[in-house]
Amino acid sequence: MNKLVERITKTAITNPHGICYQNGSEKRTYQELIEESDRIANLLQEKFLPKKSPIIIYGGQQFEMLVMFLGAIKAGHPYIPVDDASDPSRIIQINSVAHPVLVLNWSEVDNFHIDTPIITKAEIENALNSEDDIYDSALSIGDDDNFYIIFTSGTTGTPKGVQITTHNLLDFVDWACAEFDYDNNRKIMLQAPFSFDLSVFSIYPGLVSGSTLDVVDKDTTKNFGKLEKAILDSNFDTWISTPSFFEMCLLFRNFDHEHVQNLHKFIFCGEELTHATAQKLLKRFPKAKLYNTYGPTENTVAITSVQITPETLVKYDRLPIGYLKGNMHHFLDNAVNDANGYQTGELMVSGPDVSKGYLNNPQQTKRAFEEIDDRIYYHTGDMVNESQDGMLFYKGRTDFQIKMHGYRIELEEIDSLLGNLAQVKQSCTVPLYNNKKQVSKIIANIVLENQFKELDQRELNIQIKDELRKTTMEYMIPNVLQFVEDLPISSNGKIDRKALMGEVNA
């Protein structure tokens, strides 16, 4: 049997009636998870599919999706999660790259316009309601086999399928369980779509430790009133999301320790945690533990962690992303020293959580993964600053670095500086290109804090630029400040900078 599935099974044997999944009034047990995934394994092995061939699993955040994930692994097939809120072309793109042998379709969509065989929701329901639960565990996914394949957003070009093995995932699970004290008393928020690897932060450490996965699904997050009720009535104790999703929930008047007393731990990943967001959180939840983490999908969810305390906020304007896991090797590529003697460069990482590369894409794999001194290093594309004791600070994406009038400028650094101002709730800075493809202007899209929304915008413009001049060079001050009600959020809960760049340069 697969080692990760074996550990989840042991949890189920120890506490079969423990709740593993909760979504509103729906509650499902560990025993149901194991029994129903056995039936899916039986269904798949009865198809006599090519060994270790990938399967697309299409749906939302339902319990049956988790059942199908584990069933696929038991049957010997890595799974590719595809969210049912995706653009219809998404599954066509993924299908053309991954060449899956089957689609498990837990949705009402009846035609994906692909040639791949599809098992319908009705057929899956029949299997789940049957007594057919015998499967050959000798055929299950092994340590070095792909466990899941997560496809990148694919907003430009062809999406890349990141291959994560059982070995990669177990390394992350062991670290997360130890780092964040997962146990069978935990009720863990599961908000991220299953096609976004942030969901893995909840799913597998949670299931291995016997926790309850408390789901905040897409139907809830799309409805502001419904979301407010779900958050304020929730009983999860561990919050896992992007900072942008949390910022949205800060609009709820009673979202604080007094009204949501179970909530005592916050874990953020997926995008930069700003000083302003952390400050608001610790003010509303002064007894809570707040963790900032970082990690590319290619490194299995997260590879750094640090607890953010009031002392951290006093010490740093731009928050650290933490220390690397102890079993990682790293260096900073093309590093330069700053005025403090710290190094800044592109983070290169090697270790047991590094992906074997992109599915059926040797060219992109060769570009992103490099063998150095008998170790495979992943080019993260993230610029980081490293202190002398190994603390890492995120400095921006290499692909969000622009050049204007001869100066190299980090867009995310400008956002960080804006975020430190009292007037600014959120910001996203983008370049405007001229017809020669040169950056002609920097445009900052700013969501104001409520108390500043009624002020004269010309006066605000002057105020904000004057305050920026106190902390930064003139060439980094945005040419244009656009005050907006909100910023576009991607399906993964992140601020969608690429969408804004597209709008500005349309």
Side-chain angles (χ1 to χ4, degrees):
M1 185 185 287
N2 177 272
K3 283 184 180 176
L4 192 66
V5 172
E6 189 175 356
R7 285 170 62 175
I8 296 170
T9 303
K10 283 181 181 176
T11 298
I13 291 169
T14 304
N15 187 16
H17 303 300
I19 303 300
C20 71
Y21 175 98
Q22 180 172 345
N23 186 354
S25 60
E26 181 187 2
K27 294 182 179 181
R28 306 299 290 269
T29 67
Y30 273 88
Q31 183 172 333
E32 289 175 293
L33 178 67
I34 297 306
E35 290 177 351
E36 294 190 18
S37 59
D38 285 351
R39 292 167 192 155
I40 294 297
N42 171 274
L43 172 70
L44 292 174
Q45 287 190 348
E46 289 288 312
K47 303 287 181 186
F48 298 103
L49 304 168
K51 289 182 181 179
K52 315 298 183 188
S53 50
I55 289 173
I56 286 177
I57 300 182
Y58 184 86
Q61 292 152 295
Q62 303 93 342
F63 174 70
E64 289 80 7
M65 292 290 285
L66 300 179
V67 166
M68 289 187 284
F69 292 168
L70 294 187
I73 299 305
K74 289 177 177 182
H77 300 279
Y79 67 86
I80 302 168
V82 181
D83 191 75
D84 59 9
S86 304
D87 186 274
S89 63
R90 177 80 172 151
I91 200 164
I92 298 172
Q93 282 185 313
I94 291 173
N95 188 71
S96 67
V97 173
H99 309 301
V101 290
L102 201 65
V103 175
L104 289 173
N105 176 22
W106 192 259
S107 80
E108 305 307 321
V109 178
D110 57 8
N111 189 353
F112 293 104
H113 304 286
I114 56 176
D115 294 332
T116 306
I118 295 167
I119 297 184
T120 64
K121 186 175 180 180
E123 191 176 346
I124 297 166
E125 285 175 329
N126 286 338
L128 293 175
N129 292 324
S130 75
E131 298 299 321
D132 300 330
D133 58 0
I134 305 301
Y135 72 96
D136 184 356
S137 63
L139 299 176
S140 296
I141 290 296
D143 282 3
D144 296 321
D145 296 328
N146 286 340
F147 192 99
Y148 66 75
I149 300 150
I150 292 268
F151 272 77
T152 55
S153 60
T155 49
T156 56
T158 305
K160 295 176 292 189
V162 181
Q163 303 174 90
I164 299 298
T165 66
T166 301
H167 182 65
N168 296 150
L169 185 53
L170 277 170
D171 188 75
F172 166 73
V173 165
D174 287 340
W175 172 77
C177 285
E179 187 77 6
F180 306 108
D181 301 318
Y182 284 69
D183 62 37
N184 60 7
N185 293 317
R186 292 276 169 267
K187 290 182 171 56
I188 299 168
M189 176 188 191
L190 175 51
Q191 176 270 325
F194 293 167
S195 55
F196 179 21
D197 73 333
L198 179 58
S199 65
V200 175
F201 219 135
S202 302
I203 294 170
Y204 292 108
L207 293 179
V208 161
S209 60
S211 303
T212 297
L213 303 178
D214 200 333
V215 178
V216 180
D217 62 24
K218 290 191 300 290
D219 287 343
T220 302
T221 57
K222 286 189 295 188
N223 182 314
F224 193 80
K226 198 173 176 183
L227 177 61
E228 180 174 23
K229 186 175 187 327
I231 296 298
L232 298 183
D233 292 350
S234 69
N235 61 0
F236 39 72
D237 51 54
T238 303
W239 177 289
I240 299 175
S241 80
T242 61
S244 291
F245 181 80
F246 175 79
E247 269 286 350
M248 183 169 66
C249 295
L250 281 174
L251 294 170
F252 307 148
R253 185 178 300 168
N254 292 327
F255 184 42
D256 55 31
H257 173 70
E258 184 183 346
H259 296 91
V260 192
Q261 295 193 0
N262 290 326
L263 194 49
H264 60 75
K265 189 179 298 179
F266 293 83
I267 302 170
F268 291 113
C269 196
E271 63 181 356
E272 185 171 4
L273 174 64
T274 66
H275 194 281
T277 299
Q279 197 166 33
K280 290 173 197 169
L281 188 153
L282 290 176
K283 186 177 179 181
R284 291 205 190 190
F285 295 89
K287 296 179 181 178
K289 288 185 177 179
L290 164 58
Y291 292 95
N292 194 21
T293 72
Y294 156 87
T297 301
E298 289 84 347
N299 280 112
T300 318
V301 190
I303 53 175
T304 74
S305 171
V306 62
Q307 185 179 350
I308 304 297
T309 64
E311 292 73 27
T312 314
L313 295 177
V314 171
K315 189 173 182 180
Y316 303 111
D317 285 335
R318 196 167 184 182
L319 298 178
I321 56 174
Y323 296 99
L324 277 167
K325 292 160 57 178
N327 58 4
M328 303 288 294
H329 295 265
H330 79 289
F331 68 91
L332 304 186
D333 201 22
N334 298 318
V336 295
N337 290 328
D338 65 13
N340 299 317
Y342 294 180
Q343 285 195 320
T344 302
E346 183 192 359
L347 180 62
M348 302 277 289
V349 287
S350 176
D353 54 23
V354 174
S355 165
K356 64 172 73 168
Y358 303 115
L359 183 67
N360 300 328
N361 197 334
Q363 189 176 356
Q364 291 285 2
T365 298
K366 188 176 180 181
R367 190 177 299 168
F369 298 85
E370 183 177 356
E371 185 172 344
I372 303 170
D373 298 332
D374 298 323
R375 298 183 189 279
I376 300 297
Y377 282 84
Y378 171 62
H379 288 259
T380 64
D382 292 317
M383 301 295 290
V384 301
N385 183 260
E386 183 172 12
S387 68
Q388 289 164 344
D389 70 346
M391 180 76 85
L392 299 179
F393 297 80
Y394 178 72
K395 302 300 286 185
R397 290 286 303 164
T398 54
D399 50 353
F400 289 149
Q401 185 183 81
I402 62 169
K403 196 168 185 179
M404 188 170 79
H405 308 317
Y407 294 105
R408 291 199 177 277
I409 300 168
E410 304 284 353
L411 296 175
E412 288 162 301
E413 188 170 352
I414 300 174
D415 290 329
S416 177
L417 292 164
L418 283 165
N420 291 333
L421 305 182
Q423 301 92 329
V424 178
K425 181 178 181 181
Q426 284 179 300
S427 71
C428 186
T429 308
V430 295
L432 176 67
Y433 293 93
N434 60 23
N435 56 11
K436 295 179 182 177
K437 301 297 181 185
Q438 299 167 324
V439 178
S440 60
K441 288 182 181 179
I442 298 173
I443 299 174
N445 298 272
I446 294 171
V447 179
L448 293 167
E449 292 286 4
N450 287 339
Q451 63 268 38
F452 294 95
K453 287 185 176 180
E454 302 303 319
L455 297 184
D456 180 75
Q457 293 198 355
R458 283 179 297 180
E459 185 61 34
L460 271 171
N461 206 303
I462 294 167
Q463 272 183 29
I464 289 171
K465 288 187 177 182
D466 283 348
E467 288 194 45
L468 282 177
R469 287 187 181 94
K470 298 174 186 176
T471 56
T472 189
M473 302 293 187
E474 186 69 33
Y475 68 83
M476 286 186 66
I477 296 172
N479 308 94
V480 178
L481 305 184
Q482 291 188 164
F483 300 109
V484 297
E485 281 300 310
D486 49 45
L487 296 170
I489 302 294
S490 73
S491 59
N492 290 347
K494 302 180 185 183
I495 293 174
D496 198 337
R497 192 183 304 270
K498 289 182 179 178
L500 277 175
M501 287 171 68
E503 287 176 20
V504 166
N505 292 283

